[in-house]
Amino acid sequence: DRQFHVEAIVRSEARAAEVRARFPAHAEHLQFRTCADAASIDDVTAAFAGVDGALLVTPVHHERGHLTLNMIHAAKRAGVKYICIVGSWTAACEHPRFRLDFTDGEDLARKEFPHHAASLRNGFFMSNFLGAAKTVKGANSIFTPLKDTRFASIDPDDIGHTGAAVLRSAPYGDADGKWDEELKIVNVSGPETTSYDEVASILSE
């Protein structure tokens, strides 16, 4: 098996310390690089120096689409060989908001890293249900416009495992190596579908 050296890029040393404190059992093995300004292509390029494969996490930010484009440009400038974007299934939707947040990033990845880019189209996070716990407890209700829509929610940890597996599958060291697809699309889904009525029932137990 190939051995991989993994480092996480964070905004500051303080943030790195927070992550180490959250995972004390693994603290001595966690490696970090700092990037002061994610909006600066120069800063992100410097953080990517010497990196072969990069997992680009779309940030929870009102300019996340723009920041994702910056990360892709920076990865290209830094000579990263393979990238994997942590995105959303909404990239497949024809809507201006989703295009700005997710689809534009996929299009740029396809252009700058043909056959060397992947995108994880993730579903709804299971952990997001915790935000509805208060209304479930107080009003026995979840307020949503989705009616009887069913969906397969996912654990965020599974997204990390999937991204790692995708990047590990890249043919590093092979001059002619590449993925078959111009942009490798990976749909990340949960094991079963549920409705909000069922979620409310489970949270009420």
Side-chain angles (χ1 to χ4, degrees):
D1 289 344
R2 292 176 294 176
Q3 298 297 313
F4 292 85
H5 177 73
V6 180
E7 294 183 77
I9 298 174
V10 293
R11 186 172 291 275
S12 65
E13 290 295 340
R15 178 56 178 160
E18 290 177 11
V19 176
R20 288 193 180 96
R22 184 179 177 187
F23 300 100
H26 305 287
E28 63 179 297
H29 303 295
L30 296 175
Q31 303 287 324
F32 296 93
R33 298 184 182 192
T34 57
C35 174
D37 187 359
S40 167
I41 294 179
D42 289 340
D43 279 10
V44 183
T45 300
F48 281 150
V51 171
D52 291 319
L55 184 67
L56 310 182
V57 180
T58 303
V60 181
H61 189 276
H62 68 280
E63 292 187 350
R64 60 185 173 185
H66 174 69
L67 294 176
T68 301
L69 298 181
N70 277 1
M71 288 189 283
I72 296 170
H73 284 303
K76 184 68 175 181
R77 285 174 51 179
V80 175
K81 297 179 176 64
Y82 290 89
I83 64 171
C84 180
I85 304 170
V86 178
S88 168
W89 66 270
T90 56
C93 301
E94 293 296 330
H95 189 283
R97 179 73 262 174
F98 299 145
R99 166 156 288 282
L100 181 63
D101 285 348
F102 302 109
T103 314
D104 286 349
E106 287 191 349
D107 289 346
L108 182 62
R110 187 182 288 108
K111 175 185 176 183
E112 297 291 350
F113 290 88
H115 301 282
H116 290 72
S119 180
L120 307 186
R121 290 184 173 177
N122 304 300
F124 190 83
F125 291 5
M126 289 181 181
S127 54
N128 288 349
F129 292 133
L130 297 176
K134 185 175 293 186
T135 59
V136 171
K137 181 178 180 180
N140 200 33
S141 300
I142 294 178
F143 299 98
T144 172
L146 298 180
K147 293 187 177 181
D148 297 327
T149 301
R150 301 186 68 82
F151 45 88
S153 54
I154 54 176
D155 188 315
D157 283 353
D158 290 338
I159 298 172
H161 291 309
T162 303
V166 168
L167 286 175
R168 283 175 61 89
S169 75
Y172 303 101
D174 183 347
D176 299 319
K178 61 182 181 179
W179 283 319
D180 293 336
E181 308 92 328
E182 189 175 37
L183 176 66
K184 187 181 188 72
I185 300 294
V186 181
N187 293 304
V188 186
S189 177
E192 62 180 345
T193 62
T194 54
S195 68
Y196 264 105
D197 283 344
E198 292 167 341
V199 170
S201 177
I202 293 170
L203 291 177
S204 299
E205 293 179 355

